[in-house]
Amino acid sequence: MRALLACLTLGAALLSMADEADAQATDLDRSLEQLVTDYTRLYTRETFAEWRGLFLPTFTSTSTTADGGISVRTLEAFLAAQERGFREAQRMGERLENVRIDRRGRIAMVAADFEYWNNETTRRGTLVLAAVHVREGWRFQSLVFSYPD
């Protein structure tokens, strides 16, 4: 009888731990989805300061160039280019489409098609964002993007 009671107690504890792990995973998924939503929602002149907070200090942005090379920017260079765009454009923004999120523990990959507009010019491309969950929550570590040739 004691053995049965011990097994039932252990089983209940394991189920409780599994429920807690599921709840933590759900919280991680929700907060990651919010980060992805905020990537375009906060990408405005008015909320640019808040948008800056989505990135880790070690963030890098890499894009392909027309001549077959790549352009790599540090966080500060990337943000300076975005700030310049908002200062100079009457209308600027980005929309993600066909978003795919693959979370593995506390790291994640976000792949998407995107539409970027600046005044009357609209361009479509593909991007991949790497995200890391740190004490403060999810932050982007890197961005790789390309416009079709």
Side-chain angles (χ1 to χ4, degrees):
M1 184 69 165
R2 279 188 205 199
L4 178 60
L5 185 56
C7 285
L8 291 173
T9 302
L10 178 59
L14 290 174
L15 285 174
S16 176
M17 289 170 48
D19 288 345
E20 185 176 323
D22 287 346
Q24 287 175 347
T26 299
D27 289 346
L28 284 174
D29 289 339
R30 277 194 203 122
S31 60
L32 176 58
E33 289 169 5
Q34 186 62 55
L35 177 73
V36 174
T37 298
D38 287 347
Y39 179 76
T40 53
R41 182 182 69 83
L42 297 174
Y43 188 63
T44 69
R45 180 179 293 121
E46 296 76 25
T47 56
F48 187 78
E50 194 175 347
W51 187 75
R52 293 177 72 102
L54 303 180
F55 306 94
L56 289 170
T58 53
F59 173 88
T60 58
S61 169
T62 303
S63 60
T64 59
T65 60
D67 64 358
I70 61 168
S71 171
V72 179
R73 293 179 176 170
T74 64
L75 175 63
E76 289 311 311
F78 173 74
L79 292 173
Q82 305 308 311
E83 255 178 333
R84 190 170 43 257
F86 280 118
R87 267 196 319 272
E88 296 171 1
Q90 295 298 311
R91 183 177 91 85
M92 188 168 110
E94 187 170 339
R95 175 178 32 255
L96 299 182
E97 301 170 342
N98 304 315
V99 177
R100 296 156 317 275
I101 300 174
D102 183 14
R103 183 180 67 79
R104 306 288 172 104
R106 296 190 180 278
I107 62 172
M109 190 244 347
V110 179
D113 300 320
F114 69 90
E115 181 179 57
Y116 167 79
W117 58 90
N118 186 321
N119 292 327
E120 300 308 312
T121 303
T122 300
R123 297 180 75 189
R124 298 184 74 72
T126 303
L127 65 73
V128 176
L129 287 155
V132 179
H133 190 271
V134 294
R135 276 184 228 103
E136 299 80 19
W138 285 101
R139 298 293 183 270
F140 291 118
Q141 171 54 44
S142 63
L143 164 66
V144 178
F145 69 96
S146 179
Y147 295 103
D149 296 331

